[in-house]
């Protein structure tokens, strides 16, 4: 991954530019090294870590970016995005996929936060930015997010208070950090701001401005010259079972949600939610022992409309696309259930079935 590039246009559509570095940066996996001689060793370590993390079951949710267009003001749109982020964190979601209803499949999985335009964003671009911002620990936001009009109301939002959002006085085996331009005294490592009173040094060379996960080690002495190590963001969950936030991915349409899955082998179980779906009580819902589960939520017109507008899926029955197509809230009193409401209802409904399926996977 190369250095980050700033957007050079005021067009909001360019907020979804193909900038792999920025997506990795905001999801905690940017580990590009300056020194080529260490690349091979690092690549081997990452391959082993990724293989191990792929064995851990994951739960992803897919949400239509069009839900933002229903908000009547920028403040309400920001609060809506916050509700999505809070729900994802409360229920330990590993990945949030925001999809558009575009016929083309450009810019999938990538999103740049470096668009400094003050133009108002809408839809998926806005939702992705707010989700990424809220998932980022507070002490890193100023370094990773330039000022942007879409972030005007983030100060009024409740914090996610996720395990990796550590306070200044808290010590933990891992902390999120951002690499700095300041040079380490040993001239080999990189200085990293991890939100403590003093910066730490890691034993690898990195470009400045990258978000990384740092293994802090056993010593709490920040005056020690002992270097720390950068690890994959999946390490805290692998080693200690600690939830470490969600990834954010953009897809131009719903078919790209499936085809561009970042996990090896793709999603092995797909669940769609709709008022037209099958009614199954949570206690009677038996999910298979999955590796990577995806739960999809439609936009203002539902999943059926999203599939109809996708030229790759047009003409297909929605029940043929998903392994399960469920109505999570039957006998509803309101004519409509908003996506942020459906998300909370559904994730609570799936909590026990998912737990049972994960137990079977482990056994």
């Amino acid at each position: 991954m190369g250095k980050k590039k700033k957007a050079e246009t005021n067009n909001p559509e360019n907020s979804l530019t193909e900038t792999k570095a920025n997506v990795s940066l905001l999801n905690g996996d940017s580990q590009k090294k300056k020194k080529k001689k260490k690349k091979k060793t690092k690549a081997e370590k990452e391959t082993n870590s990724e293989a191990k993390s792929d064995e851990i079951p994951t739960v992803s949710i897919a949400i239509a970016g069009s839900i933002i267009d229903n908000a009547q003001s920028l403040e309400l749109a920001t609060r809506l995005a916050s509700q999505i982020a809070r729900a994802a964190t409360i229920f330990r979601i590993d990945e949030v996929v925001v999809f558009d209803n575009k016929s083309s499949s450009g810019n999938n999985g990538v999103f740049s936060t470096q668009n400094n335009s003050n133009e108002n964003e809408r839809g998926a671009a806005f939702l992705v930015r707010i989700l990424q911002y809220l998932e980022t620990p507070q002490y890193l936001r100023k370094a990773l997010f330039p000022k942007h009009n879409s972030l005007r109301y983030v100060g009024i939002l409740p914090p996610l208070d996720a395990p990796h959002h550590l306070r200044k006085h808290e010590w933990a085996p891992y902390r999120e950090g951002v690499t700095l331009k300041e040079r380490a005294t040993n001239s080999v490592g990189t200085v990293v701001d991890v939100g403590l009173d003093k910066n730490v040094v890691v034993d690898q060379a990195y470009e400045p401005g990258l978000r990384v996960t740092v293994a802090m080690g056993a010593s709490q002495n920040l005056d020690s010259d002992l270097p720390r190590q950068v690890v994959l963001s999946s390490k805290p969950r692998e080693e200690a079972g600690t939830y470490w936030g969600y990834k954010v991915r953009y897809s131009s349409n719903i078919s790209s949600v499936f085809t561009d899955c970042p996990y090896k082998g793709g999603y092995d179980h797909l669940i769609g939610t709709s008022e037209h779906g099958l009614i199954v009580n949570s206690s009677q819902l038996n999910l298979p022992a999955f590796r990577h589960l995806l739960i999809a939520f439609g936009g203002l017109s539902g999943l059926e409309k999203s599939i109809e507008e996708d030229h790759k899926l047009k003409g297909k029955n929605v029940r043929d696309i998903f392994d399960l197509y469920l109505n999570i809230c039957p006998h509803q009193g309101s004519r409509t259930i908003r996506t942020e409401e459906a998300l909370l209802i559904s994730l609570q409904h799936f909590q026990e079935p998912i737990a049972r399926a994960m137990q079977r996977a482990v056994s």
Side-chain angles (χ1 to χ4, degrees):
M1 291 177 287
K3 292 185 178 180
K4 296 178 290 181
K5 294 184 180 179
K6 290 189 177 182
E8 298 178 352
T9 176
N10 289 336
N11 186 352
E13 289 296 323
N14 289 327
S15 296
L16 297 169
T17 54
E18 198 159 356
T19 312
K20 292 285 185 182
N22 290 319
V23 174
S24 297
L25 179 150
L26 290 168
N27 285 313
D29 286 333
S30 289
Q31 300 188 25
K32 172 77 172 182
K33 291 191 171 181
K34 286 182 179 178
K35 299 200 172 182
K36 294 183 179 179
K37 63 181 181 180
K38 292 186 179 180
K39 276 186 177 179
K40 184 176 180 181
T41 302
K42 186 64 177 178
E44 290 172 354
K45 289 171 66 178
E46 288 185 353
T47 300
N48 294 335
S49 297
E50 287 171 358
K52 184 176 179 181
S53 63
D54 198 55
E55 297 174 0
I56 302 175
T58 64
V59 179
S60 302
I61 58 174
I63 298 174
S66 60
I67 64 171
I68 293 298
D69 297 331
N70 203 34
Q72 296 174 321
S73 68
L74 180 61
E75 180 180 346
L76 291 176
T78 306
R79 290 183 182 276
L80 170 56
S82 171
Q83 289 177 283
I84 303 297
R86 287 280 302 170
T89 304
I90 289 169
F91 290 99
R92 300 170 62 95
I93 297 301
D94 299 286
E95 179 195 32
V96 180
V97 189
V98 181
F99 63 90
D100 262 328
N101 288 334
K102 297 179 180 178
S103 56
S104 60
S105 298
N107 298 335
N108 288 319
V110 293
F111 176 82
S112 170
T113 60
Q114 302 303 310
N115 176 20
N116 295 324
S117 165
N118 279 325
E119 295 287 338
N120 288 334
E121 293 173 316
R122 298 297 293 173
F126 178 88
L127 183 53
V128 168
R129 186 182 297 273
I130 301 298
L131 289 175
Q132 289 181 331
Y133 181 89
L134 292 176
E135 188 277 334
T136 303
Q138 291 90 328
Y139 58 86
L140 298 181
R141 291 172 181 171
K142 186 175 180 180
L144 297 178
F145 288 85
K147 288 185 178 181
H148 195 281
N149 190 56
S150 295
L151 301 175
R152 189 193 308 173
Y153 292 105
V154 292
I156 66 174
L157 301 178
L160 298 189
D161 209 16
H164 62 304
H165 289 202
L166 295 162
R167 277 72 168 176
K168 197 171 187 177
H169 64 277
E170 292 179 308
W171 184 269
Y174 302 94
R175 288 186 76 101
E176 292 295 285
V178 61
T179 56
L180 304 177
K181 290 183 180 179
E182 177 185 346
R183 300 209 24 116
T185 54
N186 61 11
S187 73
V188 176
T190 303
V191 179
V192 180
D193 178 4
V194 292
L196 296 173
D197 291 326
K198 187 175 180 180
N199 298 328
V200 301
V201 176
V202 296
D203 58 2
Q204 303 105 320
Y206 294 95
E207 295 176 353
L210 299 180
R211 176 176 166 181
V212 292
T213 303
V214 180
M216 298 299 293
S219 174
Q220 299 186 25
N221 182 12
L222 294 177
D223 294 324
S224 171
D225 293 331
L226 184 68
R228 271 74 178 183
Q229 286 190 326
V230 169
V231 298
L232 290 176
S233 60
S234 58
K235 199 73 172 178
R237 186 183 177 194
E238 294 170 12
E239 297 297 325
T242 304
Y243 177 66
W244 211 247
Y246 54 78
K247 310 282 188 187
V248 183
R249 179 164 66 91
Y250 168 77
S251 289
S252 58
N253 48 43
I254 193 167
S255 62
S256 299
V257 172
F258 314 133
T259 59
D260 296 329
C261 173
Y263 301 113
K264 184 178 179 181
Y267 303 112
D268 54 346
H269 199 71
L270 304 176
I271 299 177
T273 59
S274 169
E275 61 180 325
H276 306 297
L278 185 67
I279 299 174
V280 181
N281 292 332
S282 179
S283 59
Q284 298 174 328
L285 180 59
N286 291 316
L287 300 179
F290 61 84
R291 290 182 306 112
H292 305 294
L293 170 68
L294 175 74
I295 306 171
F297 300 85
L300 303 179
S301 302
L303 278 176
E304 294 90 347
K305 187 67 174 178
S306 298
I307 291 171
E308 181 183 333
E309 293 178 350
D310 190 322
H311 73 280
K312 291 184 179 179
L313 300 177
K314 192 171 184 178
K316 291 189 177 181
N317 190 314
V318 66
R319 290 169 178 78
D320 295 332
I321 297 172
F322 295 96
D323 299 296
L324 286 173
Y325 199 60
L326 302 176
N327 180 358
I328 303 303
C329 188
H331 316 301
Q332 61 196 56
S334 173
R335 289 190 181 92
T336 58
I337 296 180
R338 299 172 63 89
T339 301
E340 64 272 25
E341 297 166 344
L343 187 60
L344 284 169
I345 296 169
S346 298
L347 294 181
Q348 175 59 40
H349 183 89
F350 289 125
Q351 192 170 26
E352 286 304 317
I354 287 174
R356 292 194 297 267
M358 285 187 170
Q359 288 176 353
R360 287 196 296 272
V362 172
S363 61

